[in-house]
């Protein structure tokens, strides 16, 4: 193990002499299993943005959604399929004719599409979820894969709760699925129960025992309930699986799925222990993580491997000293290899349009002319107020600009009276479709007063399950980034706002969330949200 540094230097370019049999296919399920987890709902536009980045990053297969689940899911899978450039676009379907037909329709525009059909195989799922016996499961496996194959020759079959299924029965199901035409067989650890040794043994046993196993690619799909998702997935690869299902930031049901960035960097960094490779451009991992965190409003844990804020930070004197003398003393990969650029002080109030455009390019943003002008105006205003403008400040500013580009409601002005005296008071002016509205309200604190004033202008019934404030950088002049989540019936939306003034950031986040809710509600009742405005 210690000789790793000699063979795989920190962030080295890919090794030569790779073989196809060692290639691990990356199947990303951020938009399906990830989006399915409570609170991580994304809008149509956000899903397209994430899919575009995954495609560019080199993800082999994007599981874009569960088309039968809702009209919204169907439309986003279809649009992602239409826009995909390199990735295979996959839709999920239960072992039911209607599911598979709808899924086939949704992925039709893709250059390459895949139908992923699944059924619960464990005794618990057979008895309590479906009330069917083993013979019926087997017959549904054959019927569903056969149906899917009538649409495409790229069919994945999953044995839900595989790790708690009797091995003999699981092998019979796998054999039936491959016989019916499944080209990928997924063995999920649906409840995150397996240990790495057990999981590796299961994959090995299936590959050895199932007579037609050479006709399919085996896949892992490990949940993280015991924090073992990445370890189990890699153990599965060691045992012969060549597809890993994972999600950016480890998003997914309950404790989530295996984290894509961890799988990819573990394979890349420990090539000595795991002689495999993926097609992922690892320098895009940080961007992907930030994007998914932004659109889901799920913060990334500071000490999260690969993409956490502290993943490459060295605080202790001994570590700092070592890294300065020779980075490999305490770094096993370079920050650059995951796309992390040193936070720099390069921008300030004297920076002009050209420098700002170059900076945006360096940070990976491409804005249209109008969006660029708006972002530049906000950057200048920020640079006037804030001594140091860091890359993170610009990212927060541009992310908000992108997120609110289509918002019908905008914050024009806000004055807040806060402090011990009370009552706290807010006066806000909003621009709604070009018309200005002003309202003054008191409240239980300045945020409450501000939100009440907004609600008076735009009455609504939405609940506010999340209000979250964080600092974009260090220092008392740091920008606050506020995340607001609103829930209205089955619709959940998230808004973000940033500003050096926490109240302004809060108002922007609330108004952005409200605009999104309006956009989604507008399809059915356009007048309700604004009628009292
Ligand atoms: O966890 C699971 O078993 C799943 C299947 C649908 C693949 O998400
Ligand atoms: Zn899952």
């Amino acid at each position: 193990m210690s000789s790793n540094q000699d063979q795989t230097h920190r962030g080295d370019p890919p090794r030569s002499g790779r073989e196809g049999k060692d290639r691990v296919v990356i199947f990303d399920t951020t938009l399906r299993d990830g989006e399915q987890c409570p609170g991580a709902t994304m809008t149509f536009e956000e899903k397209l943005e994430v899919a575009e980045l995954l495609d560019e990053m080199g993800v082999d297969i994007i599981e874009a959604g569960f088309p039968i689940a809702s009209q919204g899911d169907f439309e986003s899978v279809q649009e992602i399929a239409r826009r995909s450039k390199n990735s295979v676009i996959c839709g999920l379907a239960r072992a039911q004719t209607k599911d598979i037909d709808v899924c086939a329709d949704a992925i039709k525009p893709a250059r390459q599409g895949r139908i992923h059909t699944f059924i619960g195989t464990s005794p618990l799922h057979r008895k309590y979820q479906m009330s069917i016996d083993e013979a019926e499961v087997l017959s549904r496996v054959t019927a569903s894969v056969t149906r899917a194959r009538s649409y495409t020759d790229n069919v994945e079959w999953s044995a839900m709760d595989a790790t708690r299924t009797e091995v003999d029965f699981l092998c019979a199901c796998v054999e039936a699925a491959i016989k019916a035409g499944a080209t990928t067989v997924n063995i999920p650890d649906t409840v995150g129960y397996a240990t790495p040794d057990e999981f590796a043994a299961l994959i090995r046993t299936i590959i050895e025992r199932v007579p037609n196993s050479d006709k399919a690619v085996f896949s892992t799909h490990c949940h993280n309930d015991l924090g073992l998702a990445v370890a189990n997935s890699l153990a599965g690869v060691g045992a012969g699986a060549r597809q890993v299902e994972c999600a950016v930031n480890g998003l997914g049901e309950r404790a989530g799925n295996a984290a894509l960035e961890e799988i990819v960097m573990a394979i890349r960094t420990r090539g000595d222990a795991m002689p495999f490779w993926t097609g992922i451009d690892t320098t895009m991992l940080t961007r992907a993580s930030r994007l998914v965190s932004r659109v889901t409003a799920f913060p990334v844990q500071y000490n999260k491997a690969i993409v956490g804020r502290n993943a490459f930070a060295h605080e202790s004197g001994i570590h700092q000293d070592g890294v300065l003398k020779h980075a490999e003393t305490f770094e096993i990969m370079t920050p650059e290899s995951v796309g992390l650029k040193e936070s720099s002080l390069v921008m300030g109030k004297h920076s002009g349009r050209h420098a700002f455009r170059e900076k945006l390019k360096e940070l990976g943003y491409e804005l249209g002319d109008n969006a660029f002008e708006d972002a530049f105006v906000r950057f200048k205003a920020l640079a006037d107020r804030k001594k140091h403008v860091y890359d993170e400040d610009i990212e927060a500013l541009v992310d908000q600009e992108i997120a609110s580009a289509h918002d019908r409601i905008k914050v024009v002005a806000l004055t807040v009276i806060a402090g011990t005296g009370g009552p706290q008071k807010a006066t806000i002016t909003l621009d709604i479709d070009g018309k200005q509205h002003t309202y003054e309200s008191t409240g239980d604190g300045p945020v409450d007063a501000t939100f009440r004033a907004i609600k008076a202008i735009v009455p609504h019934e939405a609940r506010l399950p999340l209000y979250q404030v964080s600092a974009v950088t260090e220092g008392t002049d740091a920008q606050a980034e506020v995340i607001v989540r609103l829930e209205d019936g089955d619709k959940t939306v998230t808004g973000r706002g940033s500003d050096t003034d926490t109240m302004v950031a809060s108002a922007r986040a609330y108004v952005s969330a409200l605009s999104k809710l309006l956009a989604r509600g507008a399809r059915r009742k356009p007048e309700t949200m604004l009628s009292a405005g």
Side-chain angles (χ1 to χ4, degrees):
M1 193 162 93
S2 56
S3 65
N4 160 51
Q5 299 287 314
D6 302 331
Q7 297 174 23
T8 311
H9 290 287
R10 303 156 62 250
D12 262 353
R15 286 174 299 275
S16 55
R18 293 166 153 182
E19 289 186 55
K21 68 180 174 44
D22 301 327
R23 168 79 148 83
V24 175
V25 168
I26 296 296
F27 176 115
D28 179 276
T29 188
T30 309
L31 295 170
R32 200 278 297 167
D33 210 313
E35 211 255 347
Q36 199 169 304
C37 79
T41 320
M42 299 175 212
T43 64
F44 179 78
E45 288 76 20
E46 288 165 346
K47 287 182 191 172
L48 298 187
E49 202 182 340
V50 171
E52 192 182 345
L53 196 125
L54 295 175
D55 193 335
E56 198 187 330
M57 189 164 79
V59 164
D60 299 288
I61 297 139
I62 298 173
E63 188 166 48
F66 194 178
I68 194 83
S70 68
Q71 184 61 18
D73 251 51
F74 178 89
E75 284 168 13
S76 56
V77 173
Q78 195 176 46
E79 193 54 31
I80 290 168
R82 205 170 275 139
R83 295 183 186 204
S84 60
K85 295 198 178 86
N86 308 300
S87 309
V88 173
I89 303 304
C90 173
L92 184 69
R94 289 168 298 186
Q96 291 175 16
T97 308
K98 181 94 171 76
D99 274 43
I100 294 166
D101 295 351
V102 170
C103 182
D105 209 18
I107 61 160
K108 209 190 280 169
R111 286 173 49 257
Q112 299 176 70
R114 172 182 289 191
I115 297 176
H116 175 191
T117 181
F118 72 98
I119 190 166
T121 51
S122 69
L124 284 163
H125 282 241
R126 293 191 315 254
K127 182 170 176 195
Y128 296 107
Q129 230 192 348
M130 300 176 293
S131 306
I132 57 174
D133 62 11
E134 295 179 15
E136 180 59 22
V137 172
L138 274 172
S139 121
R140 290 190 193 181
V141 170
T142 301
S144 57
V145 174
T146 305
R147 182 96 191 166
R149 275 300 301 245
S150 71
Y151 291 110
T152 169
D153 55 13
N154 193 338
V155 172
E156 172 169 335
W157 175 77
S158 281
M160 188 158 72
D161 207 15
T163 50
R164 294 190 300 172
T165 301
E166 307 90 328
V167 177
D168 288 346
F169 180 59
L170 182 59
C171 287
C173 290
V174 170
E175 186 179 351
I178 297 174
K179 196 164 165 217
T183 43
T184 298
V185 170
N186 184 33
I187 307 298
D189 184 23
T190 303
V191 290
Y193 183 71
T195 65
D197 285 349
E198 280 170 6
F199 193 68
L202 181 62
I203 298 284
R204 207 169 286 121
T205 303
I206 297 170
I207 294 176
E208 276 166 15
R209 268 210 223 161
V210 172
N212 51 4
S213 67
D214 60 322
K215 297 194 172 54
V217 171
F218 282 83
S219 168
T220 68
H221 177 108
C222 298
H223 278 270
N224 204 31
D225 299 66
L226 294 174
L228 292 171
V230 170
N232 284 340
S233 307
L234 294 173
V237 171
R242 285 295 177 273
Q243 174 178 287
V244 173
E245 302 198 359
C246 46
V248 175
N249 296 340
L251 214 62
E253 286 276 12
R254 306 180 311 280
N257 283 89
L260 179 146
E261 58 280 359
E262 295 178 25
I263 296 283
V264 168
M265 288 312 286
I267 290 176
R268 178 179 168 137
T269 308
R270 293 304 311 274
D272 58 330
M274 295 176 278
F276 309 110
W277 56 287
T278 73
I280 300 293
D281 174 356
T282 63
T283 63
M284 294 183 69
L285 291 174
T286 300
R287 235 175 97 196
S289 166
R290 288 182 184 168
L291 173 64
V292 170
S293 172
R294 167 166 68 78
V295 299
T296 56
F298 271 41
V300 175
Q301 179 187 329
Y302 279 11
N303 58 342
K304 158 99 177 55
I306 316 298
V307 291
R309 187 185 270 205
N310 290 354
F312 292 89
H314 304 281
E315 185 68 29
S316 95
I318 296 175
H319 286 215
Q320 285 178 346
D321 183 56
V323 169
L324 287 173
K325 286 178 176 149
H326 188 79
E328 274 181 37
T329 51
F330 289 100
E331 274 181 0
I332 59 166
M333 356 165 216
T334 62
E336 293 78 20
S337 66
V338 299
L340 199 66
K341 296 187 188 80
E342 255 188 32
S343 177
S344 53
L345 259 185
V346 288
M347 302 298 286
K349 64 177 176 183
H350 300 299
S351 307
R353 274 190 175 69
H354 182 68
F356 187 61
R357 200 180 280 283
E358 284 304 304
K359 185 71 190 169
L360 292 186
K361 221 190 271 171
E362 184 190 312
L363 294 173
Y365 293 104
E366 265 175 59
L367 301 186
D369 288 346
N370 290 345
F372 174 81
E373 279 309 317
D374 291 347
F376 184 67
V377 169
R378 283 202 57 207
F379 158 69
K380 284 303 237 185
L382 180 66
D384 265 343
R385 276 179 292 153
K386 195 169 181 295
K387 205 161 143 209
H388 304 315
V389 179
Y390 296 92
D391 288 356
E392 290 91 330
D393 286 316
I394 296 175
E395 281 170 349
L397 185 153
V398 177
D399 282 346
Q400 192 197 304
E401 210 56 55
I402 294 170
S404 60
H406 305 292
D407 288 354
R408 289 175 61 188
I409 316 172
K410 302 222 185 296
V411 176
V412 177
L414 174 67
T415 309
V416 176
I417 298 173
T420 51
Q424 289 79 18
K425 199 155 75 177
T427 309
I428 195 158
T429 302
L430 300 180
D431 180 308
I432 305 176
D433 297 333
K435 215 168 147 225
Q436 296 203 350
H437 307 255
T438 301
Y439 201 87
E440 183 179 287
S441 178
T442 54
D444 192 4
V447 177
D448 188 47
T450 304
F451 287 9
R452 278 174 190 268
I454 295 171
K455 195 168 178 180
I457 299 173
V458 189
H460 59 87
E461 295 300 321
R463 263 184 3 95
L464 189 146
L466 178 81
Y467 168 75
Q468 182 180 295
V469 187
S470 57
V472 173
T473 56
E474 294 166 7
T476 49
D477 68 345
Q479 285 196 89
E481 183 166 58
V482 176
I483 294 171
V484 163
R485 185 172 298 142
L486 292 177
E487 251 175 41
D488 183 16
D490 61 348
K491 293 192 269 309
T492 303
V493 292
T494 301
R496 275 181 184 244
S498 59
D499 200 274
T500 49
D501 185 316
T502 309
M503 291 310 114
V504 174
S506 301
R508 284 197 177 128
Y510 192 83
V511 156
S512 176
L514 214 44
S515 292
K516 287 184 186 168
L517 206 53
L518 176 63
R520 292 183 65 183
R523 272 181 228 161
R524 290 188 305 198
K525 283 183 178 174
E527 69 291 352
T528 46
M529 297 282 292
L530 289 185
S531 55

